[in-house]
Amino acid sequence: MDNGPLSVESAPTPDDHYAPRATATIDLAAIESNVRRLLDAASGADVMAVVKADAYGHGLVPVARACREGGATWLGTALLSEALELRAAGDEGRLFAWLATPGDSFAECIQRDIDLSASALWMLTEIAAAAKRTGRTARVHLKVDTGLGRGGTTEADWPQLLASARRWQDEGSIEVVGVWSHFAYADEPGHPTIAQALETFRRSIELAQAADFSLEVRHIANSAATLSLPESHFDLVRPGIAIYGLSPGPAVGTPASLGLRPAMTLTGRLVHAKQLPTGHGVSYAHQYVMPRTGTVGLVPLGYADGIPRNATNRAPVWAAGRQRTISGRVCMDQFVIDLGDADAVAGDEVILFGPGDQGEPTADDWAAACDTINYEIVTRIGPRVERVFQGRGA
C-alpha cells in the first residue's frame, strides 16, 4: 500500500451496480411489532400512534400504514398539514392533529373528518367559525395544561374554555369528544409531577363532564407512561418514540427490556478512500490529526442530512468490520473516518446506527455521543437521505 498522502483507489467502472450514497432503511415489520407491544401494554386502552414529523423521520405514509396493521386505531400528528397528507394518501381511520396556528386549515380538516385540538379560546373560535363555513360539526379535544407549562389552557382558565365550548356545541358548530394533556416527567417514573399532573387531569375531566360533555376519549399517556404508568391510560394512549423501537428514557428501560425493536438503520457508502501520513490534518480546522499513517474514508453525509455537527470526533460508526469514530469536523455534506490499517474502496458500506445486531452503534449511542436524545437523532435525518422500506406494505 502506497504511503503517500494522495494515493487514490481505482475508480468503479460504469458497469458496477449503483448504490445510493445514503439510505435510511425502515423495518416496517418492527413498527408493526412495536405497536402490538404497546397495545398490549395499554391494558385495554386504544392506541394512537404518533406519526408527526414525517413519522419521526421514518416516513409518514408507509409508517402510518404499518401502525394501522399493528392495531393502532388512531393516528396523531402535530401539524394539520400532516393529517391532511394522510387523508390524501387514503387513510380512513380516526386522525387527530393538535398544533395549529391562526388562520390554519381548520375547514379542510373538518371536511376530511380530522379531530382537532383546542387549547386556547382563539383556537376554539376559529374552529367553530370554520365549521360554520363547511356546514359540518368539528370534533374537538380540549387540552388542559397539567403542569408542562407549554400548550394547553391553565387549570384556572379551564372553566372559561369549557363555557365557550359549551356555547359552540349547543349551536352545533363543534362536538367536544375528548380532553387531553401532556406529562412533563413521564420518562422519570416516580417523579412527583406525575401524580400532580394526573390529579389535575382528573379534576379537569370531572369539570368537563359536569358541563355535560360526553367524552369519547381522555388521553395523557405518552410512550413512557404507556409502558410504565397504567393509571394514566384512560381511554387512549399516545406513544411516539416507542413506535419506532426506541426507549423514551433510560429510567424506563432499554428497547430490548421493553420488548421494542429499533426500526431505522442509517447507512452511507464511502465515496473516497486514501492514505494520509502521520500528522496530517483532517477536515476543516484540522480538529483531527492522523496519529499514524493510515487510510481515511469519506462518507457523503453531513449536517445538511441531519448528522449533528457536534458529532465531530465523537459519534461512532461501523466500518471495515468494527466500530470507529468520526474523525474531524462534520461538514455540510460529508465527514471522514480514520480506518487505520483497514483496506477500503469507494462503495464500501458504513453503518451510522441501527438495531445493534451486527455490533453497529444504535441511535442511543449517537444520542449519548452528541449529548442529546434519540428522538432528535432519528427525526433530524433529512430528505436527501433515501428511505428504503422493508416488510409488509413496503
Side-chain angles (χ1 to χ4, degrees), residues 157-312:
D157 291 335
W158 184 244
Q160 183 183 8
L161 188 70
L162 291 175
S164 296
R166 182 73 262 169
R167 289 194 297 273
W168 292 122
Q169 181 158 316
D170 287 345
E171 71 168 31
S173 298
I174 71 166
E175 179 185 5
V176 174
V177 299
V179 169
W180 75 296
S181 190
H182 270 94
F183 283 114
Y185 272 98
D187 57 346
E188 295 188 22
H191 195 278
T193 61
I194 294 174
Q196 295 164 9
L198 282 172
E199 185 177 331
T200 301
F201 191 55
R202 291 190 181 101
R203 285 197 300 267
S204 302
I205 290 168
E206 290 171 359
L207 286 173
Q209 291 171 331
D212 204 26
F213 291 117
S214 299
L215 302 178
E216 182 181 316
V217 286
R218 303 159 297 166
H219 49 108
I220 189 173
N222 56 5
S223 288
T226 300
L227 291 161
S228 66
L229 195 67
E231 60 268 37
S232 71
H233 293 171
F234 294 93
D235 310 296
L236 181 67
V237 298
R238 299 189 317 269
I241 194 67
I243 295 291
Y244 309 98
L246 300 175
S247 171
V252 182
T254 64
S257 70
L258 295 170
L260 304 171
R261 178 165 178 78
M264 180 188 288
T265 299
L266 180 63
T267 60
R269 300 263 173 191
L270 293 184
V271 295
H272 194 43
K274 63 186 178 184
Q275 276 207 336
L276 293 179
T278 302
H280 200 295
V282 176
S283 196
Y284 289 127
H286 286 179
Q287 292 186 348
Y288 182 83
V289 175
M290 295 294 288
R292 66 204 174 288
T293 296
T295 302
V296 295
L298 184 62
V299 183
L301 281 158
Y303 58 78
D305 302 295
I307 307 305
R309 192 167 180 269
N310 70 342
T312 295

